[in-house]
């Protein structure tokens, strides 16, 4: 398995962990019965739980972009030092983003997001 594919697997694992953290935070705030119900009128998570949910949703928006690029590169037989670097930047940028967002550090969060986007751009540039 290429480094890029392995980092895609780890990115999926990170997404699952983010989901579990977001669910745990929301459960702590509203309880299991509210989350197990139909959720009509349920309060939105606040504080760190709200940040966890937003970080998870942001990862869900970005993961398909990464997956698409990695899978196209793999199908095309393209694995270069720049695609590896791009995958590393994406994964570590997203991990940092999740931690920084939970901690509530706004500008550093944005910087980590930019790092992950640079990773996407590096992979893209190897494909065109």
């Amino acid at each position: 398995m290429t480094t890029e594919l392995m980092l895609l697997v780890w990115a999926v694992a990170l997404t699952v962990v983010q989901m579990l953290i977001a669910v745990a935070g929301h459960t702590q705030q509203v309880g299991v019965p509210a989350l197990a119900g139909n959720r009509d009128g349920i309060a939105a998570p606040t504080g760190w739980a709200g940040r966890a949910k937003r970080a998870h949703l942001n990862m869900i928006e970005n993961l398909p972009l990464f997956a698409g690029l990695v899978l196209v590169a793999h199908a095309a037989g393209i694995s270069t030092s720049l695609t590896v670097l791009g995958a590393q930047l994406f994964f570590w940028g997203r991990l940092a983003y999740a931690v920084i967002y939970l901690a509530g550090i706004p500008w550093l969060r944005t910087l980590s997001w930019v790092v992950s986007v640079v990773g996407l751009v590096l992979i893209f540039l190897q494909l065109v």
Side-chain angles (χ1 to χ4, degrees), residues 21-32 35 46 48-49:
I21 292 169
V23 168
H26 204 183
T27 301
Q28 182 182 20
Q29 291 182 358
V30 300
V32 173
L35 289 177
T46 59
W48 73 267

Side-chain angles (χ1 to χ4, degrees), residues 4-119:
E4 299 91 333
L5 285 175
M6 183 55 69
L7 286 165
L8 175 56
V9 170
W10 282 109
V12 170
L14 174 60
T15 306
V16 171
V17 169
Q18 286 184 270
M19 174 193 61
L20 294 173
I21 292 169
V23 168
H26 204 183
T27 301
Q28 182 182 20
Q29 291 182 358
V30 300
V32 173
L35 289 177
N38 59 21
R39 299 185 184 189
D40 289 339
I42 192 171
T46 59
W48 73 267
R51 292 191 303 273
K53 179 180 180 178
R54 291 188 299 276
H56 176 247
L57 291 175
N58 189 271
M59 182 61 165
I60 289 172
E61 292 172 353
N62 285 270
L63 184 60
L65 304 175
F66 180 60
L69 290 171
V70 167
L71 293 174
V72 168
H74 181 72
I78 298 171
S79 180
T80 68
S81 60
L82 287 178
T83 60
V84 169
L85 177 61
Q88 290 169 335
L89 288 173
F90 178 84
F91 176 77
W92 293 110
R94 294 308 311 187
L95 178 61
Y97 180 91
V99 172
I100 292 164
Y101 206 163
L102 277 174
I105 308 168
W107 289 102
L108 194 54
R109 181 194 79 223
T110 301
L111 178 62
S112 63
W113 176 82
V114 169
V115 167
S116 72
V117 171
V118 169

